[in-house]
Amino acid sequence: MAIFLETVTQIIAHRGDKAHYPENTLLAFRQAILAGADGLETDVHLTLDGAMVIIHDETVARTTNGSGLVGQQTLAQLRALDAGSWFAPTFKGQQIPTLQEVLTLLDDLQFTGLFNLELKTDKVDYPGIEAQVVALLTATPRAYTIVLSSFNQATLKKVHALAPQLKLASLFEVPWWTTIQLLRHHWAAGWHPDIRWLPWYQFLLPKKVILRPWTVANEKQLRYCLQHHVAGLFTDDPQLALTWRRKIQGR
């Protein structure tokens, strides 16, 4: 039985088309959109000199040829790193992008889908990141839907206080009761749980919750989400997910 009847599940590219390109690069985002993904998901940190940059980890070691914390390096230092060769030699020279560069790419491609930006404040404190992100995203009208998410409940509260019109989503593994508290206070209408949480606890879902599980990594998980018509799913391979959606939902 479907969790959400008649819902066409949005396929959201997790860090871009991560299965085929170096994650969180402009190339990965461009290729995900060209492949037909309904949405993009990415992550934002602050540099030492206050720039908003797109990278998942708190350190640069895994996805670049550098080392050290993102927040302890300047934008110029981060831009000098190679963010592509770790994935494959073909992608040598890819850079860590800024948030503004990603937004410009979305505009250039006339993107009208969902843009999910995770504020990475659950492990490192970036003072003022909420205000900077809100200021940039609300400065001009956008053709796409913006959702801001975080594992850090305090971050979501700050964003809500700054811009109550923005759509928020709570990322969580456990404890799920913190998310229920958020929904009771109307801070976050979206639930973004670990996919492993969903089959066991779906009975806890409040009515009208916007459910987008992460990271849907294999065909079994894809079938489960699509057969239950969740609002959206985050996947590393949007091309595969789109193929399964056509098979199951006919879209």
Side-chain angles (χ1 to χ4, degrees):
M1 182 178 180
I3 299 175
F4 301 101
L5 295 174
E6 305 302 327
T7 299
V8 177
T9 300
Q10 289 185 308
I11 305 303
I12 306 167
H14 182 236
R15 308 179 208 167
D17 189 345
K18 184 172 175 283
H20 303 101
Y21 302 92
E23 67 178 62
N24 276 336
T25 60
L26 294 179
L27 178 62
F29 298 136
R30 176 183 294 275
Q31 294 305 123
I33 293 173
L34 295 179
D38 304 299
L40 294 177
E41 184 274 347
T42 189
D43 319 271
V44 64
H45 297 254
L46 284 187
T47 66
L48 182 62
D49 49 350
M52 293 176 282
V53 290
I54 299 300
I55 186 171
H56 178 268
D57 299 357
E58 285 72 24
T59 69
V60 300
R62 182 178 64 84
T63 57
T64 78
N65 61 340
S67 62
L69 290 168
V70 174
Q72 292 183 356
Q73 302 183 59
T74 65
L75 177 60
Q77 289 174 311
L78 294 176
R79 297 285 279 177
L81 300 177
D82 180 354
S85 294
W86 68 273
F87 189 86
T90 308
F91 302 115
K92 181 179 180 179
Q94 290 293 312
Q95 293 180 308
I96 297 173
T98 64
L99 176 56
Q100 180 59 68
E101 287 175 328
V102 174
L103 300 181
T104 299
L105 175 67
L106 300 186
D107 291 338
D108 290 345
L109 294 178
Q110 299 181 328
F111 181 65
T112 58
L114 183 147
F115 178 58
N116 188 124
L117 182 65
E118 179 185 346
L119 282 72
K120 299 291 289 187
T121 56
D122 49 310
K123 295 180 182 178
V124 175
D125 181 27
Y126 294 115
I129 189 173
E130 297 88 358
Q132 283 189 238
V133 168
V134 167
L136 179 58
L137 294 181
T138 59
T140 59
R142 306 287 175 181
Y144 42 88
T145 299
I146 296 171
V147 174
L148 298 181
S149 63
S150 181
F151 283 98
N152 188 332
Q153 310 303 322
T155 285
L156 294 178
K157 293 178 184 178
K158 289 178 183 177
V159 171
H160 178 71
L162 290 166
Q165 76 276 16
L166 288 177
K167 300 178 187 297
L168 303 180
S170 177
L171 281 158
F172 66 97
E173 296 173 299
V174 290
W176 50 267
W177 53 84
T178 57
T179 300
I180 290 179
Q181 184 180 27
L182 279 176
L183 286 173
R184 286 174 179 168
H185 290 85
H186 308 292
W187 292 323
W191 276 28
H192 293 181
D194 186 326
I195 181 60
R196 295 169 295 181
W197 176 94
L198 186 56
W200 297 100
Y201 296 102
Q202 67 180 46
F203 66 91
L204 294 171
L205 291 169
K207 293 180 179 179
K208 298 182 180 180
V209 70
I210 302 171
L211 183 69
R212 305 182 187 100
W214 57 271
T215 302
V216 182
N218 56 52
E219 293 181 1
K220 181 179 179 181
Q221 293 173 345
L222 282 169
R223 289 197 304 270
Y224 180 89
C225 291
L226 292 166
Q227 288 168 352
H228 286 77
H229 289 259
V230 298
L233 61 86
F234 297 97
T235 180
D236 294 344
D237 193 342
Q239 298 178 42
L240 178 64
L242 288 164
T243 297
W244 275 100
R245 186 175 69 180
R246 285 192 291 269
K247 292 179 181 179
I248 294 174
Q249 297 185 353
R251 303 293 181 89

